[in-house]
Amino acid sequence: MQSRGGLLVFLWRRNGIIQKCFHHHHHYPLSSTTPKSSCFSSCNNLFNLRSYSTSGAAEMNPQLSNDLIKIMENRLSAIEHRNIYLQNFMNQPEASPSEYSRANKELRKIRSSMELITQLRAKQKEIDGLKSLIAECPEDKDMHDMAVEELDEAIEEENRIHNLLLKSLLPKDDADERDCILEVRAGTGGEEASLFAMEIFRMYERYSHKQGWKFEVVDVMESDLKGFKEASGAISGSGSFGRLKFESGTHRVQRVPLTEKAGRVHTSAVTVAILPQADEVDVQLRNEDLKIDTYRSGGSGGQHANTTNSAVRMTHIPTGLTVAIQDERSQHMNKAKALKVICAKLYELERSRLHTSRSKLRSEQIGSGDRSGRIRTYNFPQGRVTDHRVGITHHSIDDVMQGENLDVFIDALLLKQEMDAIASFGVDE
Amino acid sequence: MILNFFPCLIRYSIFTPLPLFFKHQNLLPLSCSINFIKPISSSSSISAKTIQVPLFLKPPIYSTTILELKKFQNWAKSLSLSIGLKFLNLDNGPESNLLCRELNWLLEDVVEGEEDNPTGFLTLGCSENERLVRMRVEMEELYDLWKQRIEERRPFQYIVGCEHWRDLVLSVQEGVLIPRPETELIVDMVEELILKDKEMKQQGVWVDLGTGSGALAIGIGRLLGNEGRVIATDLSPIAASVAAFNVQRYNLQDVVEIRMGSWFEPLDEFKGKIVGLVSNPPYIPSGDIAGLQAEVVRHEPKLALDGGADGLDDLLNICKGAASFLKPGGFFIFETNGAKQSKYLVNFLNIQMEGSFQYVNSVSDFAGIHRFVTGFRK
Ligand SMILES: C[S@@+](CC[C@H](N)C(=O)[O-])C[C@H]1O[C@@H](n2cnc3c(N)ncnc32)[C@H](O)[C@@H]1O
């Protein structure tokens, strides 16, 4: 597959399935000056066309477009320069121990990219050599053919290394591989919002089952009409955080509520938060930072009382975070769940602290930092779901609610993140 | 042997409340007492007559339609809702919300459903009403069970035949105390201790006095692992066989040994050798028993609750025994009725038994009540 003119062919491997995107644009949209809107539409395009394309396991290494390679080259030489600079620095006797160790750390970080770059440079040298060989001896047929064959191989190898490099340069979120906690909260819209919160919660439950993940209800606060005022679930399965993280935000519903007599369409909202799961070690939780109490009505407890109520409330004293869990059948299990949620929340706090202090690259990610942003609308009268970040509309709302076609949005969002990251190669450093 | 006198004794303790004055007397002829200190090797003593299998372990041999189940659910729910705060105001019993949650759990235990969402079918639309589901009890019995829950205040855990305690599901039945959430903390404290001090794990035997359903012994047995050894005692034969059943369900028969007898009586050979001693003995003052919540006073065994005039009879007994049975450095933890008893015991251990113990402390439960007394043999 060759890239010609303005056609960018971009393939990416996700979940073991090769996905292909064709992109027609006169200007390659991934330069630093690209306005955001064009990035959005490009992604739509990429996405829409992808669904028509075929996929094949043999095409492991797509040919990257010249534009993309050019962008990447800039980034690669920046890394090479940095590497040389750091090497030299480390050889200077006057470097202080802390400077030394900082430089060492940075070197370690770029080492795997550097190894690939070294391979790439060797391959490129080989290619140059072969090219001049071909140019020099057009009369020797055998020699010529052999050189062409070798050149083909070398080019393919170069392409393979380019692909590896691209992958290594894309931003990695260490949390992507983690399990996650889902929190759904009814927002504006009273009872109707609670009912929708319940449906959204179930949607993720079904989606999780379809992905082969384990979905465990952590806690539910029901509304009067059996909706959910608040609900949380623990999702375990490899990469569940990475796939669901862009679901965080405000989900808006438009429909005629069950409770509405006059048949008017209402707009309500629920908020979704996806937090990576973490353990006590991740968040350096100390026993003495936790306070656990039961909030049962008075009484002497112990042998005096027989109750099936074993609710516990856990407070993280330094931050004041509290979590109350009541739905498990033993106090121990309620406590374990509360701990899980506290850890996830502390981890998220820590991450958002790092996040804000990190480079632009992260903050430009698809509205992920902004929990309050409206990300998606579920319009029942029109039977559609629209994601406002990628501008995609899906016209079978029932399928989406059944957890069937959520991938339409998720794939597009992940792809958009990658595209944005590539676009930022040019700006970053 | 033991089995021979089991049935009559058990019928006795289930259906006739054990008269309190029997409590500290020898219930059986002396000639039998030798059987008391024989370990109950679990399998031989678990006879179908004595052990009631919890609902969730029964085979799903009955079936009914979703519609019938929904009808039951509606009926049981309105019965629960009609209670409101009545029981709560009466004797600190359960209120409607709690009863409704218990109802869900009952259905979870009784119906063979999907693992993730066992009662999910109850939210299906009418089109599924005629679908059959498999059940572990008959419909009629299900109605009966819920009536017992509301009308007789029979504890939920006796209805379903089990109690979820820590990460365990323990079989319980009339005649055996339902383990309390507060008691879970004893296992947490033991866990903390053996994490810090490996010797506590390897060097000696652990003992649970008055084991009831076996909760503490099993909890600790699982912490100790295959190398560990726990001896659990109880005076009540029904408790002993239920504990043995639970031990076997958790495949701990090589770790936890159940002995029948009064407190330290069956433990002669371990004098000065016990490395850890736990107990949740009866501690309610006799005068308080009549005023307890209906679930407790009407259904749970007095032998498990009544601690004498000030509730301290058994605790004091055990404290005295601890001095001679614990090895130097050995750890103990006892559950008490709260601040008054804890304070008394801390004093008693420090002053009356001066020189025997050190680091004696009282520890609070999650409600902030001084529930436990802990310390080490000097
Ligand atoms: C409060 S219950 C505790 C049961 C269990 N350890 C728990 O925490 O759930 C007290 C237990 O002590 C037992 N018990 C009462 N008197 C006893 C005695 N003299 N010797 C041994 N056990 C006795 C009762 O049968 C009962 O199982």
Side-chain angles (χ1 to χ4, degrees), chain A residues 175-384:
Chain A
D176 280 353
E177 285 309 309
R178 287 179 186 259
D179 300 338
C180 63
I181 299 270
L182 160 73
E183 288 184 334
V184 177
R185 243 182 220 104
T188 48
E191 196 59 56
E192 157 70 355
S194 297
L195 285 171
F196 188 61
M198 190 249 306
E199 289 164 50
I200 286 279
F201 191 74
R202 296 281 172 231
M203 171 180 88
Y204 288 118
E205 181 172 3
R206 292 190 195 105
Y207 179 77
S208 300
H209 286 151
K210 296 224 159 76
Q211 297 287 313
W213 299 333
K214 192 167 158 243
F215 188 98
E216 202 188 346
V217 178
V218 171
D219 207 42
V220 170
M221 213 163 99
E222 281 194 349
S223 66
D224 296 338
L225 289 180
K226 288 266 148 212
F228 292 173
K229 279 189 201 149
E230 257 181 61
S232 48
I235 301 174
S236 7
S238 135
S240 58
F241 176 72
R243 256 192 106 58
L244 289 176
K245 59 184 174 186
F246 296 125
E247 296 301 298
S248 288
T250 300
H251 296 234
R252 191 171 69 161
V253 60
Q254 295 174 319
R255 66 179 170 191
V256 184
L258 281 176
T259 47
E260 158 72 50
K261 302 278 178 310
R264 273 184 308 242
V265 173
H266 286 217
T267 297
S268 331
V270 310
T271 52
V272 170
I274 302 282
L275 314 174
Q277 282 193 34
D279 59 26
E280 297 99 301
V281 180
D282 292 323
V283 295
Q284 292 166 21
L285 191 66
R286 299 175 314 162
N287 259 347
E288 52 272 31
D289 289 343
L290 286 183
K291 181 173 154 268
I292 299 165
D293 63 320
T294 54
Y295 45 104
R296 285 191 271 287
S297 61
S300 318
Q303 290 167 18
H304 285 264
N306 171 283
T307 177
T308 48
N309 179 4
S310 58
V312 296
R313 179 170 50 201
M314 197 176 268
T315 309
H316 181 249
I317 302 163
T319 57
L321 269 178
T322 64
V323 176
I325 305 280
Q326 55 174 19
D327 277 346
E328 286 291 315
R329 280 168 80 164
S330 87
Q331 177 175 276
H332 183 82
M333 302 302 262
N334 277 327
K335 208 176 94 191
K337 271 194 176 169
L339 186 65
K340 211 180 223 184
V341 176
I342 284 261
C343 285
K345 293 202 165 180
L346 288 173
Y347 189 67
E348 183 62 11
L349 271 181
E350 180 63 24
R351 273 165 55 86
S352 59
R353 216 180 30 233
L354 286 175
H355 185 123
T356 40
S357 66
R358 237 182 247 160
S359 71
K360 247 172 93 192
L361 185 135
R362 293 268 304 150
S363 58
E364 272 176 4
Q365 265 181 22
I366 327 167
S368 64
D370 183 11
R371 283 274 153 67
S372 55
R374 181 191 73 194
I375 61 162
R376 206 173 281 156
T377 297
Y378 302 72
N379 184 308
F380 280 81
Q382 296 171 18
R384 64 168 172 87

Side-chain angles (χ1 to χ4, degrees), chain B residues 309-331:
Chain B
D310 54 4
L312 281 165
D313 287 5
D314 299 302
L315 276 164
L316 287 173
N317 234 329
I318 292 171
C319 284
K320 287 176 202 150
S324 51
F325 278 84
L326 278 175
K327 70 186 221 173
F331 172 76

Side-chain angles (χ1 to χ4, degrees), chain A residues 1 20 25 36 40 82 100 223 230 233 288 294 298 366 423:
Chain A
M1 222 173 282
K20 279 196 270 183
H25 244 271
K36 247 243 136 330
F40 269 67
R82 186 75 189 154
Y100 185 89
S223 66
E230 257 181 61
E288 52 272 31
T294 54
I366 327 167

Side-chain angles (χ1 to χ4, degrees), chain A residues 303, chain B residues 23 177-180 183 208 210-213 215-216 233-236 239 261-263 280-282 303-304:
Chain A
Q303 290 167 18
Chain B
K23 207 170 90 85
L177 185 102
I178 298 157
R180 305 292 198 249
T183 312
D208 171 20
T211 195
S213 60
L216 286 171
T233 71
D234 209 294
L235 187 60
S236 150
S262 184
W263 307 131
N280 172 22
L303 178 70

Side-chain angles (χ1 to χ4, degrees), chain A residues 142-155:
Chain A
D142 284 353
M143 183 69 141
H144 184 268
D145 287 354
M146 226 165 71
V148 167
E149 197 175 303
E150 264 181 47
L151 180 62
D152 281 349
E153 273 169 28
I155 287 175

